[in-house]
Amino acid sequence: MEDFIYLLVGTYTKESSEGVYVYKFNTLTGESEYVSLAKVDNPSYLAVYSNNQIFAVSENEKEPSYANALSLDIETGDITLLNREETKGNAPCNIAVDPKGTFVVTSNYGGGSISAFRIKEDGKLSPVTQVISFSGKGTNEERQEAPHLHCVRFSPDGKYIFATDLGTDHIYRFDIQVTEEGDVLDEASLKKYKVADGSGPRHLEFHPAGDKMYLINELAGTVIGFYYKDGELEEFQTIKADLLNAQGSGDIAISPDGKFVYASNRLKGDGIAIFSIHEQNGRMSKVGYQPTDIHPRNMVITPDGKFLLVANMESHTVEIYQMDHTTGLLRNIDKNILINMPVCLKFIG
């Protein structure tokens, strides 16, 4: 298959899936071909670095839970599990690798914490070097009874890390400060950004220009736009993505050209809300809604902006949509990947 990149699919392994799957994805036609598998428990979120380093959480409901290091042979597509280390916080659901490829951080949903690991020269992870725990609760008694860390992202300038707390309606920011003792985050630098009560912040993504950030809120079904500069966030807009109030908004993605925001919604009216981004001020305007299969948990866009892929956990499909660069609208090309409980998609290579 010419003109391809590798597609990684993370899954829940509660049923028939076994870990992280590798496919060849044709960037011209949208067709895919299975290549290999690494057996990993519940790799519900993946992060990639360079052309061969992959990191994955093991989102186990009860401890022990793990961060995993994997390696991809870019020539053959074979994927290998290098090692795993305990997160010391249960149900890690997100992982990020720093821009220099020296450490990774996980957000631990059940543990209400974030964990940091150094990356060794051989690509393996060190034992956990730092665990930062949080406290508090939100206004939704059923879903916000305690902190639930859901996402970690590095700032475009590589100086900070941001973490979303679904349980307390906060975004946390830390300075990156690597020490000889093994710490990578300066705990004393913690800054909190509060969003509206009951929002349930879930995933955030920075705009390709690096001057804006967009956050999807699981419980409120809203997308919030922030201006970003020198580590600071300034909220400028909140817009509704889930009009059915299902409290199941899932993921957010931004087109590589920075013109469109895509926000997935689950539980009712499963699909993707599509917003255009104003070139000057970053404000969002609703342009459409694309129905999907059941429970669209995660999305990924090809680097050239031609295709958007959606992992539908409960219908066991990865759908492939062609993107209209003018309108932002999506067209299903009917070349689904059939896989049990897909929950994370990444491209590499």
Side-chain angles (χ1 to χ4, degrees), residues 89-308:
N90 69 311
C93 62
N94 203 267
I95 189 167
V97 56
D98 84 292
K100 296 180 180 178
T102 57
F103 65 92
V104 300
V105 178
T106 67
S107 56
N108 308 316
Y109 185 90
S113 60
I114 57 179
S115 303
F117 307 79
R118 292 288 190 94
I119 301 172
K120 300 178 181 179
E121 290 186 4
D122 60 3
K124 295 180 179 180
L125 292 175
S126 71
V128 63
T129 61
Q130 192 174 16
V131 179
I132 302 175
S133 298
F134 301 88
S135 61
K137 59 182 180 179
T139 57
N140 185 318
E141 295 182 1
E142 182 178 351
R143 297 291 311 279
Q144 296 183 309
E145 81 294 346
H148 293 302
L149 275 291
H150 214 302
C151 174
V152 281
R153 288 289 182 274
F154 289 91
S155 61
D157 51 27
K159 296 179 179 180
Y160 309 93
I161 192 166
F162 288 85
T164 59
D165 187 348
L166 184 147
T168 70
D169 295 317
H170 280 93
I171 302 171
Y172 304 125
R173 188 206 74 193
F174 290 95
D175 294 3
I176 295 173
Q177 188 176 74
V178 179
T179 69
E180 293 183 0
E181 292 75 23
D183 290 353
V184 297
L185 304 178
D186 179 7
E187 295 188 45
S189 70
L190 171 63
K191 181 163 186 177
K192 301 179 181 180
Y193 296 90
K194 178 73 167 59
V195 297
D197 287 342
S199 293
R202 181 180 171 94
H203 279 187
L204 61 85
E205 291 294 343
F206 284 92
H207 189 274
D211 59 350
K212 295 175 289 291
M213 185 266 279
Y214 295 88
L215 166 73
I216 189 165
N217 296 291
E218 179 171 343
L219 303 181
T222 55
V223 177
I224 302 177
F226 298 86
Y227 295 126
Y228 173 77
K229 185 177 181 181
D230 298 329
E232 298 293 341
L233 297 177
E234 178 188 353
E235 184 176 333
F236 65 84
Q237 184 188 16
T238 298
I239 193 168
K240 196 75 172 175
D242 171 22
L243 301 181
L244 301 177
N245 299 315
Q247 298 190 351
S249 293
D251 196 21
I252 189 164
I254 303 173
S255 59
D257 60 11
K259 293 182 178 180
F260 300 99
V261 170
Y262 299 87
S264 72
N265 300 295
R266 308 162 296 166
L267 306 184
K268 294 179 183 178
D270 293 36
I272 301 169
I274 306 168
F275 304 93
S276 64
I277 299 175
H278 192 279
E279 186 176 359
Q280 276 73 45
N281 59 30
R283 292 184 65 85
M284 295 167 281
S285 300
K286 184 81 170 284
V287 297
Y289 194 88
Q290 175 63 52
T292 65
D293 278 350
I294 305 170
H295 205 101
R297 183 180 172 96
N298 183 241
M299 299 176 287
V300 69
I301 298 173
T302 52
D304 62 4
K306 184 175 182 178
F307 296 106
L308 182 148

